[in-house]
Structures are given as C-alpha cells and as structure tokens.
Amino acid sequence: MFEEYDDYRKQIREFGLKEFTDEVAAKYDRGEEYPDYLRKKSLSVGIIDMHNPAKILISIEELCRVDAGLGISVTTPYFGAEVLMLFGNDKQKEFLNDVYSGKYVLGLGVTEASGGSDVAHIKTTATKKGDKYILNGSKMFITNGAIADYLVVLARTSDEDKPHHGLSTFLLSTKLNGFKANKLTGKLGVRATNTAELTFNNIELNSEDLIGEEGKGFYYIMAFFNISRIYVAAQALGIAEGAFDKIQDYIKANEIKDENTMFEIADVATRIEAAKELTYNAASYLFKFEPRPQLTSMAKAYAGETAVYASEKAMEILGTNSLEENVERIFRNAKIMEIWEGTSEVEKLVISRFILKGE
Amino acid sequence: MSNLNEENNILRDTVREFCEKNLDEKKIEEEKIDNNINSLLASQGFLGAKISSKYGGSELDDISYHIILEEFSKYLPSIAMKIFMINSLYLPSVINTEYESYLPDVSSGKMNVSVDFMNNKYKLEYSNNVNGTVENILNTDAENIVLFDGKTTIVEGPFKTREKDFMGFKGLKFGSIELNNKYNVIDKNSRKEKIMENSYNDLSAIALGIISGAIDKAMNYSRVRTVFGAYLKNYEPLVFKLSEMYSKENILRSILYSNLDKYYTFNFAMNSIVEIARFSVNTHGGYGYFKDFGVEKFYRDAIILKSVFYGNNELKQLSNHIYSEKLTFI
Ligand SMILES: Cc1cc2nc3c(=O)[nH]c(=O)nc-3n(C[C@H](O)[C@H](O)[C@H](O)COP(=O)(O)OP(=O)(O)OC[C@H]3O[C@@H](n4cnc5c(N)ncnc54)[C@H](O)[C@@H]3O)c2cc1C
C-alpha cells in the first residue's frame, strides 16, 4: 500500500538519517529542548506536505523510525489543524496556510489535570458575555503548549444534562492576556517535544474565535481523534521499525544465529507487519473520506503496543549493548504510544462500541 | 508470608522507615548516591549486609539480606543495586584473597567499589599497568573495580571516567573508564559465572521490590483517581490485571523466601517484572510518563535488570537445571 510514494518515502528517510544523527537526538533528548531549527529545516526542504494525508503518514512513520523525539517534534506543529480544516470558518481555514507554511505553531488542548480519557467532563469554561467568550480554567500535558502561537481549545460553554453536549472548540492565540504556559520536564521519553501545563485566566475570546457551532465541540474533537489516531499509529509503527532496525543491525554485526533469537525476531517482524497492514488499511479508508473509526483505533492501539513490544525486545536481545543511548531512547519514546490520544484501554472502548453499533 | 518471622518483619519496617526518613528518591536520581548516603547506609549495617562481622559487616542470613534488597528496591532500585554490587558481586570476588582486607572500609562506606558485570569481552593490554577502555561500568566513582577478563582482576583507581546518561539505576554513576591503572589478578579463573548464578535469589529480591513498588503505586492510584465519574478501582479490566499482578507479586515473595529453587524464582521474577512495571505506568495515564509520580523509574530499572541479567545464557542454565544435564543446543 502507498507504493506510489516510495520515492517520497526514500527522500524522507534520507532527510531523517542526515539530520537526526545520534548526537542531535541525544542532545535534544537530554536537554528536553524543542529543536526549532529542525522544524524550519523540514519545511524548507519541503518534506512536510500537509495537503496530502498519505504523505503526512509516511513522513511521520519514516522520521519516527529514525528518532521519535525529533520526528514528532517536526511533524506536530500542525497538531489540531484538522479541526479547523473540517469545522473552521473561512478565516480560520485561511489561517491554516500560515500554520502549514511554518509561520505559526499550533497545538490542541483537551486534557485537563482531572482527566484525559474522560473528555466530556472537562472543567475549563468559556462563558458568553455579550459577543465575547471569557475563558477560564487549565489544561494539562499539552504538546507544543509553551511554544505554540495558537491552540485549538475545548471548553464548556453551557451546562447540559448530557455533559458532552455543552462543549465548544475555540482557536486561541497564546499572546492573549491571561494565558500562561508552564513547561513540564521530566518525561520518560519524546523529550525533544514540548509539553506544558496551561492556565487561562479571564481570557477574552471573540465570537469569530469559536470553531464551528457552539455545543458541538465534543463531536469535533472525537472526529479529530478519529483522524489524528492514524498519525499516532504511524508514529508507533515508525518506532517499532526503528527498534527492529537496531535488532537486525546487532544480530548481523555479531553473527548471532541461535534459534531462540531467530524466533524472537520472527515474532517482532510479524507484529510489525500486522501493525503496518492495519495502519495502512485504516488510513486508506480515512483518506478516501470513508473513515472507519474502529479500524483507526485498532491500528492506534495495536501499533502502540507493537512499538512498546519491539522496543522492549530490542533492549532484551541486545542485552548490555542496549545500554547505548540510541537504543534505550527508543524504549523510552515507545511508551507514550500507549498513552496519548487515547490510552490502549480507551481505544478498546471505542473499538467495542463501534463494533456493537454495527458500523 | 508464613516463613517470615517477627524479626524479619521488624527489619522490613526498619528499612522502610530508613528510606522515608533519609532518602529523597528524586534527588538521588539526579545527584547520585553520595558519601553522605553511603555513610548512612553503612551506619545501619546495610552496605555490608552479607560481609562478615570480623570486617565490620552485618553478616546477615539470606532472608534478611533479601528483605533489605526488596525494601530498598521498592523505594529506589538504585540503592538496592548498590548494596547488591557490594554483597553479591564484590564480596564473592575478593573472598579468600588478600583483598578481604578492603572489606572493613567497604562495609563502613569509606571505600566505594564496583564490579563490572556487563562486559563479556575486553580489549585490554597488560604490562605493569592495565591499559584500554572499558564501557558500561556502573558506579564509576569507585576506588577499585573488579573485572572478569577471563580471570578475576582488581584494578585500582583513581579512574579516568567518561560519564554517560543512563536510564537505569540512575542513582549510580555510569559510563566508561579509560584505564592506565595498577591491577592485580586475584583469581586466575573468572569468578563471574558462579557469582552471577549464585546471585539469582538476590536479583529476584530486587525484582520483587520493583514489582511491589510498581503495584503499590498503581493500586493506590486506582483508589483515588476517577475517570468517567468512578474510581479506577471500579473498572474491571484494570482491576483484574492489577489483581493478577498482585497475586504474582505474592507468589514471587513466597517462593523467594521459602527458598524453593533459585532458578524457578529468577525465571518467574524476570518474566513478570517488565509487564508489571509497564502496567503501573499505564494505570497512571499521562502522569505515569513523568518522573514526578515515581513510577516510570520502575519501568526503566525493570527493563535494564531484565536486559542485563537475563537472556539466552540464563535460559540455558534454567534448562540444564531442569533436564539435569548440560544440554547442547543446535
Ligand atoms: C507527553 C504527553 C503529551 C500529551 N499531549 C497532549 C496534547 O497535546 N493535547 C491533549 O489534549 N492531551 C495531551 N496529552 C494527554 C493524554 O492524551 C492523556 O494523558 C491521555 O489521554 C490519558 O489521560 P489521563 O492522563 O488523564 O489518564 P486517565 O484518563 O486518568 O486514565 C488513567 C488510566 O485509566 C484507564 N482508563 C480510563 N478509562 C478507563 C475505562 N473505562 N476502563 C478501563 N480503564 C480506563 C486509562 O487507560 C489509564 O490507564 C499528552 C500526554 C502526555 C503524557
């Protein structure tokens, strides 16, 4: 699948191998620093093409295969764009061009300290006052939180019997008074990515900052996750492939031939292949505008678990040789794949619900 | 735990109190185990747990030693690793040699020592001094280091070291050492294989501590965190898994302290440790991914313990043990 992009894939891989050297990856991982120059570079050579979802998928996979911390850093400044693309007004859609061109960094703020899985129960409020909305509350673990120029934010605009009914999405400029971002440090992995805790203190939003219709925010975010999860599956697939690269290099360089190890690599390879088929299959429906959320969630959960499995196997098979920073970094990066954009448990809820609904 | 007596329980409580009172796990992971902590550990007899009393050690029995390893590991595995290195690796390396004379300073915390258990091959040159680089040394600030270079060799510091960031057992300095140092062969045979095989129960105790620490944190979190309007402890898949893991923890504790069979115990410990540490991170959601919650360290140390100490070689030993013969594999 996606064979027509083989040349593009090669180009991306070359960029990754050239720019994401072990030294660079280690530096940004250790320092927990966002590599803004790589974001700019990735744009200047035109490897990020936000108009073609298949290309996005491939670039994420190939860059995360080289290093997920850097790979995610350069492919995530557009995070949340689909909400604007699908539901935004003309001005917001136009604004997206500035995001795609790299002028602005975007992010998406849904999770709060009190809960990430349970989106409907968020506590941030946007209270209507005349033709303004006043935003109050906080967000937790927001990628790009401290570097973003704009954020897509989910907030409660009304109290309804069903909690997911009173939510709305807004496009928020981080320059506005009342916005504060506190960079979070001490992550296990993907340490080059920027993560922050945000506080909103009486931020004044205009009515044209509302994305789509009031009260529809929950649905917009769920629709967004049904798209973005395919890209997380691609991140995970890339990590698994990167771990497998290390395993193969090690086995070949050390001429390891014992049967137990052969069986282990067969298992890792099989799971990666299955994750790939699942991801590409789900992606092909999505990119034809015939999304099958259960397939997307299966791909995200399975690829996430495969990333973790392959990275743990890399550690175990390489034994003391795994202590090299660029192998253990893969292990540390992999674990986030089972957490963000729906934990594996949340994906299982989505999968079973869709199946039972017969969709 | 029927096979543990009152004295054992008192020891367990003592270690717990010691950790809570004296150790700051995050600070130690950042700033490493320093002389101050060494002295504290020594003053309570933990550093020289297995060392003979004639050398100032505590000369503890296996059960007491394992309780110490388990409890420290449950708090911060790096401390358990430090105690393990001294008592399970260094002590049997120097026993019955003139280097027993170092043991009083080791048990009192005055002499910091290390044993290289990671490398299998060395490229070293020997003349009056030993020359070459040795990678992957844990506790690089040691004053002397035992190497198993086909023989058993003690190399005297000070060492020219290059520290590396290392995700496992972060409380200990890690890196490579560039040798141009005095050395002495203390045994013409390598003591490594026997030492490692004899340390299975000790490693299982460290693994048990990691498992127990990880499960404790996850179960506690499940009692206070709510999702979708209910405590995590009300969700079947999560609690079924935690309960299964809690059972495993107690099976491991029971087989370890009843001294069932060190091979079975070690195998069971190594096959449970990573999955359990990982699930504890999962249970904490996003918080599990940050060091503040003190749970990701168990996952890091678990994979390192398994990757370094358990592999084909250990599986062969288990199989040989079970078949009661030295099997030849194709
Ligand atoms: C590095 C990082 C970056 C992130 N970036 C972003 C971002 O850019 N934007 C954003 O909005 N969020 C972001 N997140 C948040 C992330 O999406 C949440 O952490 C995730 O959704 C889980 O939410 P939580 O942490 O609140 O865990 P909780 O929701 O509290 O879940 C705790 C545990 O309960 C389990 N659980 C939940 N419901 C059930 C159930 N019904 N049955 C069984 N088990 C259940 C979960 O699987 C998990 O194991 C980020 C997180 C991290 C760590």
Side-chain angles (χ1 to χ4, degrees):
Chain A
M1 247 178 271
F2 299 127
E3 282 90 358
E4 64 269 38
Y5 297 107
D6 279 356
D7 287 343
Y8 175 71
R9 184 185 287 278
K10 227 171 109 197
Q11 189 196 344
I12 293 285
R13 178 149 176 85
E14 276 164 15
F15 174 85
L17 289 173
K18 180 163 166 261
E19 300 294 339
F20 299 1
T21 59
D22 290 342
E23 291 72 27
V24 172
K27 179 179 163 209
Y28 287 91
D29 174 64
R30 263 185 239 141
E32 297 192 70
E33 203 187 320
Y34 181 77
D36 200 48
Y37 84 97
L38 282 174
R39 174 181 76 91
K40 290 182 179 140
K41 206 167 214 174
S42 68
L43 285 162
S44 68
V45 298
I47 61 159
I48 306 290
D49 181 353
M50 290 300 293
H51 301 285
N52 183 333
K55 281 187 163 180
I56 302 174
L57 187 93
I58 289 164
S59 64
I60 292 173
E61 179 189 342
E62 287 303 329
L63 294 176
C64 288
R65 181 175 167 188
V66 184
D67 183 78
L70 300 175
I72 294 168
S73 291
V74 304
T75 51
T76 202
Y78 321 94
F79 190 51
E82 289 85 351
V83 181
L84 297 167
M85 201 180 347
L86 293 174
F87 310 109
N89 55 37
D90 289 347
K91 208 171 139 205
Q92 287 164 341
K93 283 181 184 155
E94 210 171 295
F95 155 85
L96 271 182
N97 292 325
D98 286 338
V99 174
Y100 296 158
S101 72
K103 183 173 172 196
Y104 297 131
V105 170
L106 192 63
L108 177 100
V110 173
T111 304
E112 299 186 357
S114 59
S117 306
D118 185 3
V119 172
H121 281 97
I122 56 152
K123 298 190 173 77
T124 295
T125 53
T127 314
K128 199 152 192 180
K129 205 172 163 198
D131 60 351
K132 305 257 186 217
Y133 289 92
I134 310 297
L135 188 69
N136 277 295
S138 63
K139 296 284 167 187
M140 191 63 174
F141 305 136
I142 304 308
T143 301
N144 299 337
I147 57 167
D149 301 287
Y150 288 88
L151 292 162
V152 172
V153 171
L154 185 69
R156 176 160 302 287
T157 40
S158 63
D159 285 320
E160 305 286 338
D161 288 345
K162 290 187 173 163
H164 57 283
H165 280 175
L167 302 175
S168 305
T169 40
F170 295 89
L171 181 62
L172 165 78
S173 160
T174 59
K175 307 281 179 305
L176 290 176
N177 283 339
F179 176 86
K180 223 169 106 193
N182 171 35
K183 179 181 166 184
L184 299 171
T185 56
K187 289 201 290 280
L188 175 63
V190 292
R191 287 160 62 96
T193 66
N194 177 283
T195 317
E197 185 180 4
L198 313 175
T199 44
F200 311 136
N201 187 8
N202 286 321
I203 301 180
E204 267 192 24
L205 296 171
N206 294 317
S207 50
E208 58 265 33
D209 297 328
L210 178 72
I211 303 168
E213 288 175 45
E214 199 182 295
K216 294 263 172 75
F218 181 82
Y219 301 99
Y220 297 165
I221 293 297
M222 291 302 130
F224 168 75
F225 281 146
N226 286 334
I227 299 169
S228 67
R229 278 174 185 146
I230 206 65
Y231 299 127
V232 180
Q235 294 169 355
L237 184 58
I239 292 176
E241 289 168 325
F244 195 50
D245 289 339
K246 297 283 180 204
I247 295 174
Q248 290 183 77
D249 290 349
Y250 172 74
I251 286 179
K252 285 176 192 156
N254 293 280
E255 294 182 24
I256 289 167
K257 296 196 172 77
D258 69 83
E259 200 174 62
N260 192 45
T261 310
M262 295 305 111
F263 281 27
E264 297 218 275
I265 64 168
D267 284 343
V268 178
T270 306
R271 283 185 62 163
I272 291 175
E273 196 56 35
K276 188 181 237 167
E277 289 291 324
L278 202 45
T279 302
Y280 287 5
N281 188 31
S284 67
Y285 282 108
L286 190 63
F287 300 163
K288 283 190 294 203
F289 303 103
E290 295 167 15
R292 299 207 180 172
Q294 67 271 44
L295 278 188
T296 310
S297 283
M298 283 176 194
K300 193 273 173 186
Y302 190 76
E305 287 170 13
T306 301
V308 169
Y309 169 79
S311 73
E312 287 179 2
K313 280 291 164 207
M315 294 294 297
E316 291 171 18
I317 292 172
L318 270 69
T320 51
N321 296 286
S322 69
L323 308 184
E324 247 193 287
E325 242 175 321
N326 53 26
V327 181
E328 54 101 356
R329 198 172 52 248
I330 299 177
F331 165 82
R332 289 185 289 104
N333 289 340
K335 189 74 200 77
I336 192 63
M337 297 297 136
E338 293 182 333
I339 301 173
W340 64 17
E341 270 162 90
T343 60
S344 289
E345 289 76 20
V346 165
E347 302 307 338
K348 283 175 194 168
L349 290 177
V350 175
I351 296 163
S352 53
R353 273 179 202 158
F354 270 95
I355 286 175
L356 294 177
K357 271 203 293 185
E359 287 184 16
Chain B
M1 241 78 49
S2 54
N3 37 355
L4 295 185
N5 60 33
E6 188 59 21
E7 237 171 77
N8 299 143
N9 293 333
I10 292 173
L11 177 62
R12 195 182 280 286
D13 291 342
T14 308
V15 181
R16 273 186 201 170
E17 278 165 27
F18 176 90
C19 290
E20 273 157 30
K21 202 167 136 225
N22 299 297
L23 304 179
D24 175 343
E25 53 164 309
K26 272 158 213 125
K27 191 163 169 242
I28 295 173
E29 283 219 317
E30 263 156 42
E31 296 173 14
K32 315 293 173 197
I33 300 171
D34 58 13
N35 287 339
N36 186 24
I37 293 168
N38 266 338
S39 309
L40 269 171
L41 290 167
S43 69
Q44 298 295 310
F46 298 135
L47 266 195
K50 292 286 283 177
I51 294 175
S52 156
S53 56
K54 75 177 175 199
Y55 295 131
S58 308
E59 209 174 323
L60 295 177
D61 57 37
D62 281 346
I63 289 188
S64 306
Y65 178 46
H66 292 149
I67 289 172
I68 289 177
L69 289 178
E70 180 194 338
E71 285 303 323
F72 275 113
S73 177
K74 184 170 178 172
Y75 186 78
L76 181 62
S78 297
I79 304 277
M81 181 49 71
K82 169 105 199 172
I83 296 172
F84 167 81
M85 244 201 206
I86 291 174
N87 295 282
S88 302
L89 305 181
Y90 192 81
L91 176 62
S93 299
V94 301
I95 204 96
N96 300 327
T97 75
E98 59 181 297
Y99 291 92
E100 281 191 18
S101 63
Y102 283 179
L103 293 174
D105 280 350
V106 173
S107 48
S108 70
K110 280 191 207 129
M111 183 187 278
N112 190 2
V113 296
S114 177
V115 177
D116 173 26
F117 52 89
M118 302 226 197
N119 291 289
N120 294 317
K121 289 179 217 141
Y122 297 90
K123 280 188 207 138
L124 297 175
E125 282 170 25
Y126 299 86
S127 53
N128 280 341
N129 279 0
V130 54
N131 281 283
T133 303
V134 186
E135 300 287 341
N136 300 337
I137 296 281
L138 199 55
N139 208 28
T140 46
D141 48 357
E143 281 160 59
N144 59 73
I145 297 181
V146 173
L147 304 179
F148 300 111
D149 47 351
K151 318 174 277 304
T152 304
T153 302
I154 192 161
V155 187
E156 299 288 345
F159 299 105
K160 201 171 157 195
T161 64
R162 200 166 57 83
E163 260 186 69
K164 278 195 234 167
D165 245 5
F166 179 46
M167 72 165 175
F169 302 103
K170 257 184 174 315
L172 297 166
K173 285 190 179 165
F174 176 81
S176 59
I177 50 172
E178 216 174 287
L179 296 176
N180 177 9
N181 293 63
K182 294 232 167 322
Y183 72 98
N184 276 295
V185 175
I186 51 180
D187 189 331
K188 62 181 188 326
N189 299 309
S190 168
R191 295 185 174 187
K192 184 174 181 179
E193 195 159 334
K194 218 180 210 124
I195 287 175
M196 298 318 284
E197 214 167 332
N198 284 338
S199 70
Y200 280 1
N201 275 341
D202 314 342
L203 288 167
S204 300
I206 297 179
L208 175 58
I210 291 178
I211 287 171
S212 178
I215 293 180
D216 247 30
K217 288 216 185 252
M219 287 180 66
N220 287 339
Y221 195 68
S222 75
R223 293 185 179 102
V224 297
R225 178 72 169 178
T226 53
V227 293
F228 302 105
Y231 287 114
L232 283 182
K233 68 175 181 185
N234 297 114
Y235 290 92
E236 280 183 357
L238 192 130
V239 167
F240 287 1
K241 216 158 170 174
L242 281 178
S243 303
E244 213 180 286
M245 289 174 172
Y246 185 78
S247 316
K248 281 190 183 169
E249 174 193 336
N250 282 293
I251 291 169
L252 175 58
R253 188 171 289 113
S254 161
I255 60 176
L256 172 67
Y257 289 110
S258 64
N259 203 9
L260 173 70
D261 175 306
K262 68 178 181 193
Y263 296 91
Y264 302 173
T265 306
F266 186 50
N267 192 54
F268 187 78
M270 289 299 119
N271 278 316
S272 318
I273 185 171
V274 175
E275 187 198 1
I276 292 176
R278 187 200 314 124
F279 193 69
S280 181
V281 174
N282 273 26
T283 303
H284 288 77
Y287 293 98
Y289 205 62
F290 284 81
K291 71 171 177 217
D292 298 353
F293 270 65
V295 46
E296 53 86 50
K297 69 168 186 283
F298 289 127
Y299 186 44
R300 282 188 272 115
D301 290 343
I303 194 77
I304 294 294
L305 201 69
K306 189 173 181 195
S307 303
V308 170
F309 292 102
Y310 187 73
N312 251 10
N313 199 32
E314 289 66 29
L315 283 165
K316 275 182 195 154
Q317 280 166 350
L318 170 72
S319 309
N320 288 341
H321 172 67
I322 286 172
Y323 277 81
S324 304
E325 63 172 297
K326 205 168 167 64
L327 298 164
T328 43
F329 294 99
I330 296 167

